[in-house]
Amino acid sequence: FTLCFVALLILLVKYIVFIMELSPNETVYINNINEKIKKDVLKKQLYMLFSQYGKVRQIIACKGVKMRGQAWVIYQDLHSAVNAVKGKQSFVFYDKPLRLAFAKTKSQIVEREQAK
């Protein structure tokens, strides 16, 4: 009985951590981006693709070894970010399906604004 209880408790904790990581926020994390796209072109294309869901405050795209194939889109409001994740999940972008999730942490722009 105790072993089952401990196993159930461990699963519950893992589930809570999983749910907390998926908590919606204004920052959308994108990966599986085609790495051959130049940074300036990528940012413009992502802006055109994601601005249809709401006001985009910033797009962060890095081309470093560890960061390539990833980007973040920061929206003005939560509703826009939620709609973007729902609307563009698995969208084929330059021959690769995008994988979208909410960022694990809020962007610095959003945190500064909410601290005011």
Side-chain angles (χ1 to χ4, degrees):
F1 174 75
T2 1
L3 189 57
C4 288
F5 179 73
V6 171
L8 187 60
L9 191 59
I10 290 170
L11 283 174
L12 181 61
V13 169
K14 286 182 179 181
Y15 177 73
I16 290 169
V17 169
F18 176 74
I19 293 300
M20 288 174 65
E21 286 180 353
L22 297 178
S23 294
N25 66 71
E26 295 86 350
T27 306
V28 177
Y29 169 71
I30 308 163
N31 70 350
N32 200 40
I33 297 172
N34 190 320
E35 298 172 8
K36 295 176 183 171
I37 308 168
K38 292 186 182 197
K39 184 177 173 179
D40 58 329
V41 173
L42 175 62
K43 288 177 91 167
K44 287 176 188 174
Q45 292 296 318
L46 287 175
Y47 182 83
M48 289 174 38
L49 188 64
F50 286 95
S51 63
Q52 63 185 302
Y53 294 99
K55 182 170 176 13
V56 173
R57 298 176 79 171
Q58 185 179 15
I59 294 177
I60 300 168
C62 304
K63 294 299 277 186
V65 175
K66 287 189 174 186
M67 304 299 276
R68 77 175 73 143
Q70 303 175 72
W72 290 263
V73 176
I74 304 165
Y75 281 99
Q76 183 72 35
D77 61 87
L78 180 62
H79 181 74
S80 300
V82 169
N83 287 336
V85 170
K86 288 179 183 177
K88 291 299 179 196
Q89 192 64 259
S90 300
F91 179 82
V92 178
F93 181 73
Y94 284 87
D95 301 321
K96 291 184 83 172
L98 297 177
R99 290 193 303 252
L100 281 69
F102 296 104
K104 290 183 180 180
T105 59
K106 291 185 179 187
S107 69
Q108 291 176 347
I109 282 179
V110 174
E111 283 187 344
R112 277 193 299 255
E113 186 176 277
Q114 289 177 348
K116 290 181 183 180

